Every structure is written in C-alpha cells, then in structure tokens.
Amino acid sequence: MSTTNMQSLLNIMEKLRDPEKGCPWDIKQTFDSIVPHTIEEAYEVADAIEQKDFNELKGELGDLLFQVVFYAQLAKEQSLFEFNDIIETMNEKLIRRHPHVFTDIEFTNEEQVHANWEAEKEKERASKALSENKSDSVLDNIPLALPALNRAYKIQKRCANVGFDWDNLTPVIDKIKEEIDEVLVEVKRDDLTEQQKQERLEDELGDLLFANVNLVRHLKCNPEQVLRKANHKFEQRFRQVEQTVLKQGKKMSDCSLTDLDAIWDLVKEQGK
C-alpha cells in the first residue's frame, strides 16, 4: 500500500467518525464495542487461508487492517496515540527483537533466535510490571480474551521457557491417563448433589483438556490449528454420510447408529 493509499484510508475513517456527517453506526462505536468485530475478522482471515481462497484473503486482510485503523482513530480522538505511533512502535519492536538482521549480532541457529526473542519479550513484561508497580510473572500479558485452547497453549509455552516442563513424552501421556481416570471417578460418584458433581466434573474435564493441549505442544503442533483441521475433516465426512443416506432414499433418523457407523467407515476409507 502506498503512502497515498494509506492516508486515503485514514481520511475515510476520519470521515466515517465525523460527528455531523459521518456514519451513525461508526460514530457510536467505542474500543470495547468493536473488539468482537476484530476477533471475527481475524477468524475470517484464518478461514480464507485454510480454504486457500487468496482472492477472498485479500478482502479479509483489508477488513482486518480497517480494525487497526478504527482503533487508531478512536485513540486519536481521545489524544491517546495516532496511527503513525502504532507503526513506529512496531518498527522499533521488530528491529529490537531481530538484532541478527538489523545489527552485527549473529545467531548460529533457530534456537538462539528464539531464545533472544523470548528474552526481549521478558524484558518488555518486566518493564511494564515495573511501570505499573507490580511484581512481574512469566504469565503476564497473556490475553484473557484468547480462546481457551490458545490461552492454555501460551501458558504452557511460557512455563516451558523457564524450565517448568517435562523433557519427554512419557510423563505427558501418563498425565493424560491420570486425568481420564480422575474424570471417571467423578462420573461414578453418587455421594454428591447434581451441582457438586457437575462442578467437580468440569474441574476434572478442564484438567484433561489442559493435559491434551500439553501433548499437542510437545509434538510441536498448535492445538487451535490441529482442532480446526479436525473440525473441518469431521464436517466433510459427516456431510458425505448425509449425502450417502440421501442417495439411499432415507433420512438420517431412519438409520441405526450401526448403519451410520458403517457409512462413516466407508467414507473414511474412501478419503484415505
């Protein structure tokens, strides 16, 4: 995007927020009110990439960029910061986090690059904690608004960076088995009220999910991406099951679970 195009976008945003001639919807928005739209746009970007629809991706990235411009306009109106401040902050951060690219410092492998990146982020967290007169933690600044799966992944990565992590898969898998057993104990209990049982089950199921995220992380995968792919695969297969049943002149409700399982296995085999 040229400087002229970028300025045009900023001008458009300013006009949309004009108290007298702007758009009524845009005028009434606040930082808080547009957060859900920002999250939605980010997911639409991810979806376009997964679908390999790069023409659609161009538009979705534009929508996401507009979110940044919207926040910048709100901040400008409140004398907090402007769009150029965002750019300058990003430029400074990228240069500082990549000394092996922008200075004479050399790293010999990716591990050293990653270690430097994490060290810089730790300095940023410590500096922020100091400015807010707080004790800093390696878990600072992990957004609460992140999807729970992504947040669990980030929490575990942060802890692993300071050595709080298993160094092989065996205890990771053992932990999952332990958590499954603890879930089953709660399932079989009959000495609690329904509310107590539900609360204890949710607690143990949360531990089980957290342990599974840990396994995914140890296998060098991202749990959000893994689950998104699993969702997509299941949806494709289930739609094929529906189509197969329809071709047989039946409804899904006409089939037994055994019948549907057989069709599922066939669809699964055909997809290999």
Side-chain angles (χ1 to χ4, degrees):
M1 177 180 289
S2 69
T3 303
T4 302
N5 283 342
M6 189 67 245
Q7 188 57 53
S8 294
L9 180 56
L10 295 173
N11 291 342
I12 290 169
M13 182 70 254
E14 188 171 13
K15 288 182 179 180
L16 289 172
R17 288 278 299 177
D18 185 277
E20 296 181 0
K21 298 181 179 180
C23 169
W25 186 89
D26 291 280
I27 292 170
K28 72 178 184 180
Q29 299 311 307
T30 66
F31 281 108
D32 292 332
S33 70
I34 62 173
V35 166
H37 301 286
T38 307
I39 294 171
E40 181 180 341
E41 296 299 350
Y43 277 112
E44 289 180 358
V45 166
D47 188 62
I49 292 172
E50 287 183 1
Q51 301 298 326
K52 302 292 188 264
D53 189 344
F54 297 109
N55 187 57
E56 183 70 14
L57 176 61
K58 176 177 61 178
E60 297 300 349
L61 286 170
D63 291 342
L64 188 58
L65 174 60
F66 180 70
Q67 299 297 305
V68 177
V69 170
F70 209 137
Y71 289 120
Q73 177 62 30
L74 292 174
K76 180 180 178 181
E77 293 167 5
Q78 298 176 40
S79 300
L80 299 174
F81 56 82
E82 297 189 19
F83 184 78
N84 281 340
D85 297 318
I86 298 174
I87 301 300
E88 288 176 7
T89 299
M90 193 72 253
N91 288 345
E92 185 278 329
K93 184 186 294 184
L94 288 172
I95 291 172
R96 176 166 42 80
R97 289 184 177 181
H98 296 83
H100 54 297
V101 176
F102 299 102
T103 73
D104 295 333
I105 294 176
E106 294 184 5
F107 297 133
T108 58
N109 54 52
E110 188 175 339
E111 286 72 23
Q112 291 180 351
V113 172
H114 178 72
N116 177 76
W117 178 275
E118 291 299 332
E120 286 296 326
K121 290 173 70 175
E122 175 56 31
K123 290 179 185 176
E124 292 167 13
R125 288 194 292 268
S127 177
K128 182 177 181 181
L130 182 62
S131 68
E132 297 175 353
N133 198 27
K134 296 179 181 178
S135 58
D136 65 307
S137 167
V138 71
L139 299 181
D140 285 345
N141 304 329
I142 300 178
L144 291 171
L146 275 177
L149 203 61
N150 268 342
R151 195 160 192 275
Y153 178 60
K154 274 190 167 291
I155 288 171
Q156 292 175 7
K157 282 183 66 179
R158 291 275 187 91
C159 293
N161 285 334
V162 295
F164 192 70
D165 195 17
W166 284 305
D167 59 4
N168 64 82
L169 275 180
T170 300
V172 176
I173 295 171
D174 289 343
K175 185 62 176 176
I176 292 174
K177 294 176 180 177
E178 175 189 323
E179 298 297 351
I180 291 174
D181 289 340
E182 291 181 4
V183 168
L184 294 178
V185 167
E186 297 304 327
V187 169
K188 296 173 183 177
R189 290 188 66 159
D190 57 6
D191 60 335
L192 302 172
T193 66
E194 285 299 316
Q195 182 177 348
Q196 289 173 327
K197 185 172 182 177
Q198 184 67 23
E199 290 175 353
R200 293 176 70 100
L201 266 175
E202 288 180 2
D203 187 56
E204 296 300 345
L205 286 169
D207 291 344
L208 176 58
L209 284 171
F210 195 83
N212 275 281
V213 170
N214 203 28
L215 174 60
V216 175
R217 181 181 62 84
H218 269 265
L219 293 174
K220 311 300 182 186
C221 295
N222 181 293
E224 182 73 19
Q225 293 177 348
V226 167
L227 188 56
R228 284 173 68 88
K229 288 180 181 178
N231 289 342
H232 180 66
K233 180 170 64 176
F234 181 91
E235 183 179 357
Q236 282 189 317
R237 288 176 177 173
F238 189 81
R239 288 178 183 274
Q240 288 180 267
V241 170
E242 290 178 314
Q243 290 301 312
T244 301
V245 170
L246 186 63
K247 288 177 182 178
Q248 294 176 352
K250 300 178 183 178
K251 299 178 181 178
M252 294 288 286
S253 57
D254 296 330
C255 302
S256 67
L257 180 57
T258 301
D259 294 334
L260 294 175
D261 271 341
I263 297 172
W264 176 273
D265 289 339
L266 179 62
V267 167
K268 183 177 178 180
E269 187 62 32
Q270 290 173 343
K272 290 183 179 178

